[in-house]
Amino acid sequence: MAKERIIITLQGDDVDTVPSRVAARLASRFDATLDAILLEPDPSDFMMWAGPSGAAASVMAGALSSIQQESDMCAERAKNTFIDALEYAELTAVRGRFLRISDQPADAAAETRLSRLVVTSRFAASGNGPLAELVTAVLIDEQTPIYVASDEDEPPKSVAIGWDGSREAARAIYAAAPLISAADKIIVLQSNRGLEYRDRRTASVDRFYDWLSVRGKRSDTVDIDQFEGSVGERLLKGAEGIDLLVAGAYGHSRLREFVFGGVTRTLMAATDGPALLLAH
C-alpha cells in the first residue's frame, strides 16, 4: 500500500502531458498514490446582465451551453492525459483520483493537504495560464511543497540544494528526501554574502552534511558568490547541468505581484534549467 500522496495540477491542454508523466514517475519513486486536480472556470462567471428580454435570455443560455461543452471537453482531455500518464509509469488507474473543481483555487489548494508534493508545469509556476493562482495558493497558503517539472520526465539523478539554514529550505529538503537519497550526485549551493554572525551559524553547511551522512550520502559545496547577478540568478548558474534544484520559497503577500520574494520569482520564472522543488 502506498505511503505518500502526490498531486498533479491540470489545465486540460497539451501543457499537461510532460508534468503528468513527471508526476507519475515521481509517484513510483515516492511509493505514492497520484491524484489529479483540474481547476476549470465556472460557466456562470461568464454571465453578463443582458436585459430582461426573452431574446437576451435565449442568447445567454446558448452561450452558457457552449461554455459548458468546452469545459467538458477540456475535462475529458485532462482525464485522458492523467490516465495515459499512469499507464506510462506503469501505475494502475486504481491508484489515482481525478478531481474536477470549478473556479475555486482555495478549495483546490485545500485538497493538497497531507500531500508530499504538488507537481505543476513551468508554465503555471511562472504565473501563466489558469493554474497560476492555484500554484500560489498551494505554495503560500497551504505550504504544500511544489515540484515544477522540467522538460525531462525521468526522476532526477543529480540534485542541487540551496541551503541557507532556513525553515523553508529544511522543509524543501524533507519533501525531496527520497530524491536526494537516490541521487547519484548532490551539490550544496551556498552564499555568505551579507550574512551576520548568527546567520552564518544557522546557514552552516555542516548541519546539512550531518543530515546527508545518516543517509549514506555526501555532497560537494558550490559557493555561488563566484557568479554574477541576483541570488536567484546565481542559484540557477550554480545548478547548471543539474536535474533538480531544491530550495526554500519566500513570500507573504496574497497579491500576485508581491507574493514571492525576488529569489523565488527568479527561480519560478526561469524558462529552462533544472526542475524545481520549492517549499514555503
Side-chain angles (χ1 to χ4, degrees), residues 71-91:
S71 183
D72 290 342
M73 290 175 59
C74 182
E76 187 67 20
R77 287 194 296 268
K79 188 173 184 178
N80 288 337
T81 298
F82 176 54
I83 293 172
D84 289 346
L86 291 171
E87 294 176 351
Y88 175 78
E90 298 182 351
L91 298 176

Side-chain angles (χ1 to χ4, degrees), residues 14-205:
D14 292 342
V15 172
D16 294 337
T17 302
V18 172
S20 295
R21 290 188 171 190
V22 168
R25 298 292 291 272
L26 290 175
S28 294
R29 177 64 57 86
F30 278 82
D31 189 19
T33 59
L34 178 62
D35 293 345
I37 291 178
L38 171 69
L39 182 64
E40 59 184 3
D42 186 340
S44 63
D45 289 345
F46 293 91
M47 291 184 65
M48 296 179 61
W49 186 81
S53 71
S58 177
V59 170
M60 185 58 66
L64 285 176
S65 177
S66 296
I67 293 170
Q68 186 61 58
Q69 289 177 13
E70 179 60 31
S71 183
D72 290 342
M73 290 175 59
C74 182
E76 187 67 20
R77 287 194 296 268
K79 188 173 184 178
N80 288 337
T81 298
F82 176 54
I83 293 172
D84 289 346
L86 291 171
E87 294 176 351
Y88 175 78
E90 298 182 351
L91 298 176
T92 63
V94 176
R95 296 185 67 183
R97 295 185 302 155
F98 179 79
L99 305 174
R100 187 175 174 182
I101 298 176
S102 180
D103 196 38
Q104 295 293 329
D107 291 346
E111 287 287 342
T112 70
R113 294 170 188 172
L114 297 180
S115 298
R116 185 64 172 258
L117 291 174
V118 173
V119 180
T120 194
S121 67
R122 199 185 297 273
F123 181 72
S126 60
N128 297 303
L131 298 178
E133 188 174 351
L134 174 58
V135 171
T136 300
V138 168
L139 189 56
I140 300 299
D141 295 341
E142 296 297 331
Q143 296 189 349
T144 304
I146 67 166
Y147 189 105
V148 182
S150 67
D151 295 333
E152 299 294 330
D153 60 57
E154 289 281 346
K157 293 183 174 64
S158 56
V159 180
I161 292 130
W163 174 248
D164 59 2
S166 67
R167 60 188 179 186
E168 291 86 355
R171 280 198 286 266
I173 289 167
Y174 172 73
L179 301 177
I180 295 171
S181 295
D184 296 330
K185 179 180 180 180
I186 302 168
I187 63 172
V188 180
L189 307 177
Q190 278 215 304
S191 170
N192 290 320
R193 190 178 296 177
L195 293 183
E196 301 294 337
Y197 175 71
R198 178 177 295 181
D199 296 328
R200 289 175 184 268
R201 290 187 57 196
T202 302
S204 172
V205 74

Side-chain angles (χ1 to χ4, degrees), residues 168-264:
E168 291 86 355
R171 280 198 286 266
I173 289 167
Y174 172 73
L179 301 177
I180 295 171
S181 295
D184 296 330
K185 179 180 180 180
I186 302 168
I187 63 172
V188 180
L189 307 177
Q190 278 215 304
S191 170
N192 290 320
R193 190 178 296 177
L195 293 183
E196 301 294 337
Y197 175 71
R198 178 177 295 181
D199 296 328
R200 289 175 184 268
R201 290 187 57 196
T202 302
S204 172
V205 74
D206 291 338
R207 300 173 63 193
F208 180 65
Y209 285 160
D210 290 342
W211 185 88
L212 276 181
S213 65
V214 173
R215 290 157 178 80
K217 309 297 287 188
R218 300 182 65 180
S219 72
D220 297 321
T221 301
V222 174
D223 182 359
I224 64 171
D225 292 339
Q226 65 183 293
F227 305 120
E228 298 295 329
S230 66
V231 175
E233 291 168 340
R234 285 182 278 139
L235 282 171
L236 290 171
K237 289 177 182 176
E240 285 183 357
I242 298 296
D243 298 330
L244 173 67
L245 172 57
V246 177
Y250 309 97
H252 52 84
S253 170
R254 285 297 294 119
L255 296 176
R256 175 79 203 178
E257 58 269 31
F258 299 116
V259 70
F260 298 121
V263 176
T264 309

